[in-house]
Amino acid sequence: MNINHQTSQQKKQAIQFMVMDILENVLQQAEHPGKLADYLTCQMREVLGGKKVVLMECISTGDNTKFNLISACPERILKDVDCPELYQLAELSGREKQVALWGPHWGPDQVSQLLAAKKWNHTILLPLTFNEQQVGVLFVFELYELHNVDILQSTLQTLMRVIALVLKNSFQYDNLEKIIAARTRQIGESERRFRTLAEASPTGIFRTDALGNMLYVNDAWSRITGCGRETVFGKNWLTMLKPVDSQYVQSLWDAFMADQTYFRAPFQITQPKGLSAWVIGHVLPEYNDEGTMTGCVGTVTDITNQKEHEMALHEAKEKAEMANLEKAQFLANMSHETRTPLNGLMGMIQLLELTELTMEQEEYVRLSKKSCDSLLAIIGDILQYSTIEAQKVKLNNSVLSIQELAGELYGLFKPAAMEKGLQLNYHVAPDIPSQLVGDAFRLRQVMTNLLGNAIKFTQQGGISLKVETGGVTDDDIELRISVKDTGIGIPDGDIPRLFDRFYQVDSSHTRAYGGTGLGLAISKGLVEMMGGSIKVESRQGAGSCFSFTCPMKVAYD
C-alpha cells in the first residue's frame, strides 16, 4: 500500500476502507478457515506496506510460552529467515500490549540489536489477543514507510480480532458477521458525519475524479460559485469556477497534477449572472492501494470581502502618497517663491545700513535684519524638507577630508560656544583615512544641525564632536559621528517621535529657543539618503548624545 502524500486522517480512512474489503472477503472464505491464516497474512502485508510478514501462534502453559510459525508472506521468506531468530524475536517482544514500531536503532535493546544484525528495516508488531489472553503475534518487516502507531491501533483492531479468532480455531461465521456488520455501521456513521459536517460548513467542499471532474459539492460551494449541484456533476471543477485569469490558474493546476502534492491559489471567478467573487482554493489528491491518484478533495473559500478591503487600502495608500508628494512639491515651489522677495528685502535692509541713521533707526534695522534671517532660515528648512520628501535631493559625491571638515565646524561654532560660556572640543580617530569620497555638503549640513542644536539647548558644561570608524576595508569605511552635550536632555516619552517632522519636545521650547521642528527630520532624511542611520541617547536634565553612521569610499591618489 502506498499512502505517501496523505495526511494522518487520509491514511486512517484509506486503511479503514482496505480493512472493509478484507473483511468482506473473509466472509466469503468462512467455510475454509485453514486458508484464512495465509490470506490474512498476505493482506496485512498490503495494508501496512511491508516486504515480509510472519504470523506466529503463542501457546502458554503455566509459566512457559511457546511460539509456532503459522504463516508467512511471501512463503519463500521462510527459506531466507532463520526460524530460531524469529522465535527469539517473538519471545523478546511478543508480550507487548499495544501495537509497536521498532527499528534497527530504537526499541528494546535486544530487539534493536537483532534487527540491526539481520539488516531488517523498520518492523511493526501486532499483538493478537483472545479473551484478554495473547494468542499470537504478527510481524511486518521492512516497511516501505513509517506509520502512525495510534492510527494502526484504532483502525486494525477488528482485523486483529479476526486473526486471533482464526488462531484459536474459534472462527464462527455468525460471530464474524456480527463483527463485520458492526464495523460497517461504524464506517457508515463516519461517512454520515462527514456529510453532515460538509453541509454545515460555510466553506465550499468538493470531490473530483482523477481528471478533476466533479463527484460531490456541498451547499456552500453552490452558494459561493452560483452554480446549482445538478449542473456541475461530471464537469471539470476549474471550468465551473470560471477563473478570470484562467491561464494562471490552469498553470497552477497543471503543476499540481504533475507533482500530485498540494494545490493552493487565490483567484477571481465569474458567477453565472456576470458577478465576480474572489476565492481561495485548496486541493489534496486521493490515492488507491497501488498509490495511483484516483481523485481529489478540495475546498473553496469566499475571500471577496477581504480582497475588497485590501484593494481599498491599497488605493487609499496610493492616493495618500500622491497627495503627500503633491504637497511636498507645492511647499518646495512656495518656499522658493517666498525666498526670492525676501532676499530682495534683505538687500534693501543692507543698503539702508549704509545710510546715516539715528540710534533708534539702527536698532530698527538690526531687528529687521534679525527677523529676516530667522524667516530665511525657516523657509530654508521647509524648502529642504519638502525637497527631500519630493525625492528631488541628489547626492554629489566628491573627495573630502573629514579632518578638515571637523576642524572647520569647530572654528564656526567656537564663538557661539564661548559666548555662552561652554566648552567645545572635537576628536577625529587617527585610523580614518585622510581622503574619502562622499557628499561633503550634506555631511556638513547634518553635523551643523546637530552642533547648532547642542549649543542652543545647553546652558552650562560643554559639547564634544567625535568622528570614529566602525570598520575599514580596502575600499569602504563606515564613519560614526556623534555630538554629545550637557544640555537639558529629552524625556523618554518624547524620544520615539523626536525625528518626526514639526515635532518639538515642548511647545514652550519654540518660544524659548526658536526653530521649526524640522531640523532633526531633515538630518534623518539626509543620513538615510547617504546610506546611514541616526539615533539619540538622552536623559532629561543630563544631556543628550546624537550619533549617526555614514558609509563612504576610501579615495586613493
Side-chain angles (χ1 to χ4, degrees):
M1 176 184 180
N2 185 347
I3 50 178
N4 287 321
H5 310 307
Q6 295 188 359
T7 64
S8 296
Q9 184 63 28
Q10 288 175 318
K11 289 181 180 181
K12 185 174 182 179
Q13 290 178 349
I15 293 176
Q16 283 179 335
F17 286 123
M18 292 190 72
V19 170
M20 283 300 302
D21 290 338
I22 295 171
L23 294 177
E24 288 177 2
N25 290 328
V26 168
L27 278 176
Q28 297 172 7
Q29 301 182 41
E31 297 178 358
H32 306 284
K35 297 181 181 179
L36 282 178
D38 292 336
Y39 170 74
L40 291 171
T41 302
C42 291
Q43 290 304 309
M44 291 301 288
R45 178 188 179 206
E46 294 298 320
V47 169
L48 296 175
K51 236 179 183 181
K52 306 169 184 176
V53 180
V54 174
L55 175 63
M56 303 187 78
E57 180 185 24
C58 174
I59 301 176
S60 299
T61 56
D63 295 333
N64 297 322
T65 301
K66 181 182 178 181
F67 290 92
N68 293 327
L69 186 62
I70 299 298
S71 180
C73 183
E75 291 185 6
R76 65 176 182 274
I77 70 170
L78 295 177
K79 300 177 182 179
D80 301 332
V81 178
D82 293 335
C83 287
E85 291 181 333
L86 273 178
Y87 296 143
Q88 180 185 359
L89 185 61
E91 291 171 358
L92 290 172
S93 55
R95 291 181 175 83
E96 290 283 340
K97 301 299 183 184
Q98 302 267 335
V99 175
L101 173 65
W102 299 311
H105 304 294
W106 77 82
D109 290 341
Q110 291 176 293
V111 176
S112 176
Q113 292 169 8
L114 179 60
L115 294 176
K118 296 300 293 181
K119 296 183 180 179
W120 289 340
N121 202 349
H122 308 112
T123 299
I124 282 281
L125 162 71
L126 298 176
L128 306 174
T129 59
F130 180 79
N131 290 336
E132 299 184 356
Q133 297 292 323
Q134 182 176 356
V135 298
V137 59
L138 187 139
F139 294 103
V140 184
F141 298 96
E142 313 231 10
L143 297 172
Y144 296 121
E145 63 170 317
L146 295 181
H147 292 265
N148 185 312
V149 173
D150 292 336
I151 291 178
L152 298 179
Q153 182 76 32
S154 61
T155 55
L156 297 179
Q157 186 177 15
T158 302
L159 195 54
M160 290 161 60
R161 287 179 59 195
V162 171
I163 299 174
L165 286 172
V166 172
L167 290 177
K168 290 297 291 181
N169 293 320
S170 299
F171 185 85
Q172 298 177 7
Y173 182 86
D174 291 341
N175 244 355
L176 186 58
E177 189 177 46
K178 290 178 182 178
I179 293 173
I180 293 175
R183 190 62 174 168
T184 303
R185 285 196 302 272
Q186 291 177 1
I187 294 179
E189 290 171 0
S190 176
E191 178 69 15
R192 283 192 296 274
R193 282 196 298 269
F194 165 77
R195 295 273 179 170
T196 301
L197 289 172
E199 294 306 322
S201 172
T203 300
I205 300 174
F206 64 93
R207 292 185 66 185
T208 74
D209 60 18
L211 299 178
N213 298 321
M214 287 294 197
L215 299 177
Y216 166 80
V217 298
N218 67 347
D219 286 340
W221 192 95
S222 298
R223 184 178 65 254
I224 292 170
T225 62
C227 300
R229 290 188 177 190
E230 66 283 355
T231 65
V232 302
F233 294 118
K235 298 180 181 178
N236 186 273
W237 79 281
L238 281 179
T239 302
M240 296 309 299
L241 284 180
K242 298 181 178 62
V244 174
D245 191 350
S246 57
Q247 291 183 347
Y248 164 70
V249 179
Q250 187 65 50
S251 67
L252 295 179
W253 179 254
D254 292 341
F256 162 74
M257 292 297 289
D259 298 338
Q260 296 185 7
T261 52
Y262 183 57
F263 175 93
R264 180 188 183 278
F267 51 90
Q268 193 174 14
I269 64 172
T270 303
Q271 296 173 328
K273 294 183 179 180
L275 301 176
S276 63
W278 276 94
V279 299
I280 183 168
H282 298 80
V283 183
L284 280 172
E286 292 184 308
Y287 298 91
N288 63 11
D289 299 347
E290 288 74 34
T292 303
M293 192 177 84
T294 57
C296 301
V297 59
T299 62
V300 173
T301 305
D302 190 343
I303 57 170
T304 303
N305 291 338
Q306 175 186 334
K307 273 292 181 180
E308 289 177 348
H309 183 62
E310 289 175 359
M311 289 187 287
L313 286 177
H314 181 71
E315 184 179 352
K317 181 175 177 289
E318 286 187 337
K319 287 182 178 179
E321 289 175 348
M322 181 62 67
N324 200 39
L325 184 61
E326 291 175 351
K327 179 197 68 177
Q329 291 173 342
F330 171 77
L331 285 174
N333 293 335
M334 288 302 298
S335 298
H336 179 74
E337 293 299 324
T338 306
R339 178 180 284 187
T340 300
L342 184 58
N343 285 333
L345 180 58
M346 291 186 67
M348 297 303 295
I349 291 175
Q350 289 172 353
L351 290 176
L352 186 59
E353 278 185 307
L354 300 177
T355 63
E356 293 185 8
L357 300 171
T358 64
M359 292 182 62
E360 185 178 6
Q361 289 172 331
E362 287 179 355
E363 179 64 16
Y364 293 157
V365 170
R366 186 186 67 80
L367 292 175
S368 298
K369 187 176 180 181
K370 183 177 179 181
S371 298
C372 286
D373 289 338
S374 299
L375 183 57
L376 191 60
I378 293 172
I379 293 174
D381 284 349
I382 295 175
L383 177 61
Q384 180 68 61
Y385 185 78
S386 59
T387 303
I388 293 173
E389 274 205 326
Q391 301 178 356
K392 289 186 176 181
V393 175
K394 294 183 179 180
L395 298 179
N396 182 21
N397 292 328
S398 60
V399 177
L400 62 89
S401 169
I402 191 63
Q403 292 84 354
E404 292 181 3
L405 180 57
E408 291 174 4
L409 290 172
Y410 172 78
L412 178 65
F413 285 96
K414 183 66 175 178
M418 291 178 63
E419 184 178 347
K420 296 183 69 173
L422 303 175
Q423 292 184 351
L424 177 65
N425 57 73
Y426 77 99
H427 170 75
V428 179
D431 59 340
I432 297 179
S434 59
Q435 289 189 316
L436 304 174
V437 176
D439 192 326
F441 178 76
R442 303 300 178 189
L443 185 60
R444 179 197 296 269
Q445 190 174 357
V446 176
M447 294 171 69
T448 297
N449 199 338
L450 297 182
L451 283 169
N453 282 348
I455 291 176
K456 181 193 298 185
F457 294 106
T458 302
Q459 303 305 320
Q460 59 182 3
I463 297 100
S464 62
L465 167 65
K466 282 188 179 181
V467 183
E468 300 170 307
T469 176
V472 183
T473 64
D474 292 340
D475 298 317
D476 300 290
I477 183 174
E478 181 183 73
L479 295 183
R480 292 183 179 177
I481 302 171
S482 63
V483 175
K484 187 175 183 180
D485 63 59
T486 58
I488 60 176
I490 304 165
D492 292 341
D494 290 303
I495 289 178
R497 294 192 57 197
L498 198 60
F499 294 98
D500 292 353
R501 58 185 179 181
F502 304 115
Y503 183 76
Q504 292 185 322
V505 173
D506 190 330
S507 60
S508 62
H509 290 167
T510 304
R511 296 189 296 271
Y513 299 103
T516 61
L518 285 173
L520 291 177
I522 292 171
S523 298
K524 181 176 184 289
L526 292 176
V527 167
E528 290 176 350
M529 284 182 60
M530 291 187 287
S533 61
I534 188 170
K535 65 178 182 178
V536 60
E537 296 175 359
S538 182
R539 191 156 53 93
Q540 191 171 13
S544 305
C545 180
F546 287 83
S547 60
F548 68 95
T549 60
C550 184
M552 289 189 173
K553 295 287 185 182
V554 178
Y556 296 98
D557 295 335

